[in-house]
Amino acid sequence: MDETAALPAIDTHCPYCSLQCGMGLRPVTGAVPVEVVERPGFPVNLGALCGKGASAAAVLAPGARLTTPLMRPHRGAPLAPVGWEAALDRIAVELSRTAERHGRDAVGVFGGGGLTNEKAYLLGKFARVVLRTSAIDYNGRFCMSSAAAAHSRAFGLDRGMPFPLEDIPRTGCVILVGGNPAETMPPFVRYLRELRENGGTLVVVDPRRTRTAELADLHLAPRPGTDLALALGLLHLVVAEGRTDEEFIAERTTGWPEARAAAMAHWPELVESITGVPVPGLRETVRLFCDAPASMVLTARGPEQQAKGTDTVSAWINLCLATGRAGRPYSGYGCLTGQGNGQGGREHGQKADQLPGYRRIDDPAARRHVAAVWGVDPQSLPGPGRSAYELLESLGREVRALLLCGSNPVVSAPRAGHVAERFAALDFLAVSDVVLSETAATADVVLPVTQWAEETGTMTSLEGRVILRRRAVAPPPGVRSDLEVLHALAARLGHGEGFPVEPEKAFDELRRASAGGPADYAGISYERIAAEDGVFWPCPSAGHPGTPRLFLDRFATPDGRARFVPVQHRPAAEEPDREYPLRLTTGRVLSQYQSGAQTRRVDALNSAAPGPYVELHPRLAERLGVAEGAEVAVVSRRGRAVAPARVTDAIRPDTVFMPFHWAGAGRANTVTNPALDPVSRMPEFKVCAVRLEPVVRAPAP
Ligand code: SF4
């Protein structure tokens, strides 16, 4: 008899995306120590999981993950098993030596949007207090930073969604821009279905007719990189048709005349010529959006991952403000954050310009507050550092040694071939991860750390709901937690105190560090999260109920008014030309997640999504002589990626698409453009100029 059969399931959450679906983990006997079971009581997903979540336990199997530290004695030597003490000693010595030889900023830290709040918080503290380096950033910069920047400058606060998911079915119209939740987070789709069942309408903006677009009342398919012009054209029509909410504009906003003037320069026919979206589609969108008693705009990576991503999101926010669709029940702008803790990861100090509580590192009052919690002199804290891509670009030059946690930039960063060269130029690389990712495989030391089912900690979902991940199973022998790693390294580097290994202790310190800041967690405790199915920040005191809905009374700006930001359309950093006549856009598929470091190790997911492909329109395929399944090279100024062709009329004829989950020859990010948004420093993953070349294989000898 299976002795574990009677054991109760532990309530926890999926390890992957920002929806943070509730799930149960029940201990079982066998190589995989738990099974995923439904947790129907968690309100966000009501027990539903996508294939990624349902199969997540597979990565716990010993064969799928790291269970011993690895080290190479010198560059060129293979990685070999080593004891923990030797591995930690080596990292401490190399980081110290680099700082002594080249200065503190020559030691870098790179984090991830999948780390718990506790890890992100202590990683930031480790960089600022122990290493005293400004060189820290994280892969969330690639994921949602443009929406964060636009949110902050319009509303004075960045929380991806300022309202809970449960509000979506209660609005009248949703414009979903550049997101495909039917593949990236399928349980989310129930909110869109309920919206339509309640009589609401869905407009999807995407260059591809995705599974999400197929659910929509209206699908607009702009050229990649033109979402900004599209939003301006809609705002132009709103003004021209007298659909503005003048009372709301007068009472709750500033900056309308300038934003209005910018929009009026984008008349519908011009916008059609830029975007490829016919004027009737623009007019119908305005009708659906403005006829509804309440409406929302939700953006995802499509408009955000552009060299003008911040301005693009601002244009969509301007549309909401001009129509009075913000700061009111069931209306507003929201961002569908991507990574599991993309929200919390950017709030607690692993971002180059931030301290815990979403404080700015260049704010003297913020520095004083956090330094007091940390027991250090505010003057000792470094200033702002480089953004993620700029940090990667500096490897082997300014930054000579790097500690990287839970990230795989060799696959996920733009211009990835170049990024791999920068990693190779480092004097020293240490990686802590669950699996031997492509980036970990290049390290000098690799530390095997616990993963979601083996650890406790908090995550902050796309709604701003702080939830509790619970340990359901002991890690295998030889595996330690990231908190234990930071504690051990800090101790070796002269900071024996201040790096707790117990997650709840770390969270209690995070609460104090965040108190009074924009993302105030002071009133949130593990007990409350467990009792209340999560708590929405800000929550400044134990008696505070949390804040599911922001901005209903006032926006978080000094004068309480939302700020219009006047923005103008501009071309992508790289437009098509004779040599590179097509636009490439990249994205995700249903059965893989981000760089694929975990999901490519799950048989069920690999069977469903075994490898990369190039999606192209039948007319383009015919013109190039490319047949379905034939290998084709996508070539840009940065390199070439090769994958089988997938011919479909669901994509524009001037655009090709590649998913970015794979390494090797089919690595989409070999081709992508690292042009950065000037405000958010987010790279332009979503559009670059390419050409397609059929791949002709030499006949076998
Ligand atoms: S939608 Fe996201 S959080 Fe939910 S099961 Fe799938 S990957 Fe996990």
Side-chain angles (χ1 to χ4, degrees):
M1 178 187 156
D2 181 354
E3 292 171 0
T4 63
L7 292 177
I10 308 283
D11 285 348
T12 190
H13 296 266
C14 174
Y16 297 120
C17 86
S18 65
L19 199 56
Q20 284 298 291
C21 292
M23 61 167 56
L25 292 180
R26 200 172 70 81
V28 293
T29 51
V32 177
V34 291
E35 67 176 358
V36 173
V37 297
E38 279 191 11
R39 182 183 165 190
F42 187 67
V44 169
N45 60 310
L46 302 177
L49 298 170
C50 75
K52 298 182 285 279
S55 63
V59 187
L60 296 165
R65 51 93 56 86
L66 292 165
T67 53
T68 183
L70 303 171
M71 188 161 84
R72 65 180 97 236
H74 56 84
R75 279 285 157 101
L79 283 168
V82 67
W84 269 97
E85 300 314 305
L88 292 165
D89 287 347
R90 171 91 183 275
I91 296 171
V93 165
E94 297 280 3
L95 299 187
S96 297
R97 185 185 296 157
T98 302
E100 278 163 22
R101 284 186 185 163
H102 303 289
R104 289 195 288 266
D105 280 352
V107 179
V109 176
F110 199 93
L115 302 180
T116 61
N117 289 320
E118 291 79 356
K119 294 180 188 180
Y121 168 76
L122 286 178
L123 191 64
K125 180 179 179 183
F126 181 80
R128 274 61 178 254
V129 173
V130 178
L131 301 176
R132 295 184 59 199
T133 178
S134 70
I136 175 170
D137 212 58
Y138 82 126
N139 64 16
R141 181 79 70 169
F142 298 159
C143 197
M144 64 287 293
S145 55
S146 290
H151 230 132
S152 294
R153 68 186 187 181
F155 304 126
L157 184 70
D158 159 42
R159 197 180 85 189
M161 292 183 65
F163 40 75
L165 289 162
E166 69 185 51
D167 282 6
I168 292 175
R170 303 184 199 174
T171 191
C173 175
V174 170
I175 303 180
L176 173 57
V177 190
N180 184 14
E183 294 211 49
T184 57
M185 51 174 74
F188 171 89
V189 170
R190 84 171 167 95
Y191 296 100
L192 301 179
R193 287 195 202 282
E194 287 172 22
L195 162 77
R196 299 192 66 238
E197 285 162 13
N198 292 345
T201 55
L202 173 65
V203 179
V204 169
V205 178
D206 198 303
R208 304 163 62 221
R209 194 176 67 248
T210 60
R211 294 186 197 191
T212 310
E214 284 174 352
L215 301 171
D217 298 274
L218 180 62
H219 171 212
L220 309 181
R223 296 184 180 99
T226 65
D227 311 80
L228 174 49
L230 185 71
L232 286 164
L234 296 176
L235 184 53
H236 179 111
L237 282 170
V238 162
V239 175
E241 296 179 5
R243 309 294 300 253
T244 53
D245 185 335
E246 295 298 330
E247 193 180 324
F248 179 89
I249 291 170
E251 290 181 359
R252 299 204 56 190
T253 72
T254 57
W256 172 231
E258 295 80 7
R260 182 183 189 281
M264 294 320 284
H266 292 77
W267 59 95
E269 292 74 16
L270 172 66
V271 169
E272 177 176 326
S273 73
I274 295 170
T275 64
V277 175
V279 172
L282 301 175
R283 291 193 190 283
E284 179 64 0
T285 304
V286 168
R287 188 186 70 76
L288 294 174
F289 193 71
C290 294
D291 278 359
S295 30
M296 296 176 177
V297 172
L298 302 176
T299 68
R301 304 300 81 73
E304 299 164 15
Q305 289 178 326
Q306 297 184 25
K308 55 181 179 298
T310 306
D311 281 358
T312 301
V313 175
S314 289
W316 288 101
I317 291 175
N318 288 350
L319 179 70
C320 292
L321 294 177
T323 52
R325 312 296 165 127
R328 283 176 165 166
Y330 316 125
S331 275
Y333 162 76
C335 156
L336 300 184
T337 297
Q339 295 191 82
N341 200 26
Q343 181 70 49
R346 68 184 188 256
E347 295 166 358
H348 297 300
Q350 62 174 332
K351 200 157 170 254
D353 51 359
Q354 283 177 350
L355 290 172
Y358 225 133
R359 290 181 156 94
R360 292 185 59 90
I361 202 167
D362 57 3
D363 173 359
R367 294 169 67 87
R368 279 196 300 278
H369 174 86
V370 175
V373 174
W374 289 348
V376 300
D377 180 349
Q379 300 286 343
S380 71
L381 299 178
R386 297 178 177 87
S387 72
Y389 184 77
E390 292 164 298
L391 176 55
L392 297 175
E393 175 68 28
S394 76
L395 300 184
R397 298 172 175 135
E398 294 86 357
V399 173
R400 310 291 292 263
L402 186 73
L403 173 63
L404 181 139
C405 302
S407 185
N408 190 15
V410 164
V411 176
S412 63
R415 199 185 174 196
H418 176 68
V419 166
E421 288 170 10
R422 299 309 333 143
F423 270 98
L426 278 167
D427 296 342
F428 178 76
L429 173 63
V431 173
S432 78
D433 209 330
V434 171
V435 296
L436 192 66
S437 70
E438 286 75 13
T439 307
T442 71
D444 300 284
V445 180
V446 183
L447 302 178
V449 289
T450 50
Q451 52 181 313
W452 104 111
E454 301 157 351
E455 61 188 19
T456 294
T458 60
M459 307 279 278
T460 305
S461 78
L462 79 173
E463 299 177 289
R465 184 195 297 257
V466 184
I467 50 103
L468 187 60
R469 167 186 283 188
R470 291 180 179 85
R471 175 171 153 142
V473 64
V479 172
R480 296 187 185 179
S481 74
D482 280 304
L483 299 192
E484 289 172 319
V485 167
L486 291 174
H487 175 86
L489 289 175
R492 280 165 171 76
L493 294 166
H495 291 260
E497 302 292 320
F499 289 86
V501 298
E502 303 88 354
E504 194 163 4
K505 262 193 190 169
F507 188 72
D508 285 343
E509 186 181 310
L510 178 159
R511 292 167 62 189
R512 285 187 284 120
S514 75
D520 191 333
Y521 282 41
I524 304 176
S525 64
Y526 280 18
E527 292 74 27
R528 279 195 65 181
I529 298 172
E532 300 172 31
D533 282 331
V535 180
F536 289 80
W537 71 258
C539 181
S541 64
H544 190 283
T547 316
R549 295 173 183 85
L550 292 165
F551 313 140
L552 292 180
D553 300 321
R554 69 190 307 279
F555 295 98
T557 53
D559 63 4
R561 291 165 175 259
R563 295 179 287 229
F564 280 100
V565 178
V567 291
Q568 301 279 352
H569 172 71
R570 52 188 186 273
E574 192 178 66
E575 287 285 321
D577 56 21
R578 285 170 63 90
E579 205 179 345
Y580 302 98
L582 301 165
R583 290 179 175 85
L584 170 72
T585 193
T586 61
R588 289 163 50 188
V589 300
L590 175 64
S591 296
Q592 296 288 349
Y593 179 69
Q594 306 295 57
S595 80
Q598 289 138 290
T599 51
R600 282 188 272 118
R601 287 169 167 80
V602 178
D603 290 344
L605 300 177
N606 271 337
S607 302
Y613 57 88
V614 180
E615 197 174 281
L616 72 163
H617 192 274
R619 290 213 295 275
L620 179 61
E622 187 180 359
R623 183 156 59 80
L624 296 174
V626 173
E628 171 75 20
E631 288 213 317
V632 62
V634 180
V635 184
S636 78
R637 290 178 175 84
R638 292 156 293 282
R640 57 194 272 134
V642 177
R646 192 174 286 186
V647 181
T648 169
D649 66 1
I651 190 165
R652 296 177 54 91
D654 56 8
T655 299
V656 294
F657 167 82
M658 280 192 82
F660 64 82
H661 308 290
W662 288 273
R667 182 176 62 185
N669 277 319
T670 300
V671 181
T672 51
N673 189 354
L676 300 181
D677 179 280
V679 181
S680 69
R681 317 304 287 167
M682 182 181 230
E684 188 152 74
F685 289 98
K686 285 298 179 191
V687 55
C688 68
V690 299
R691 65 170 178 266
L692 294 191
E693 294 176 355
V695 174
V696 181
R697 297 262 176 228

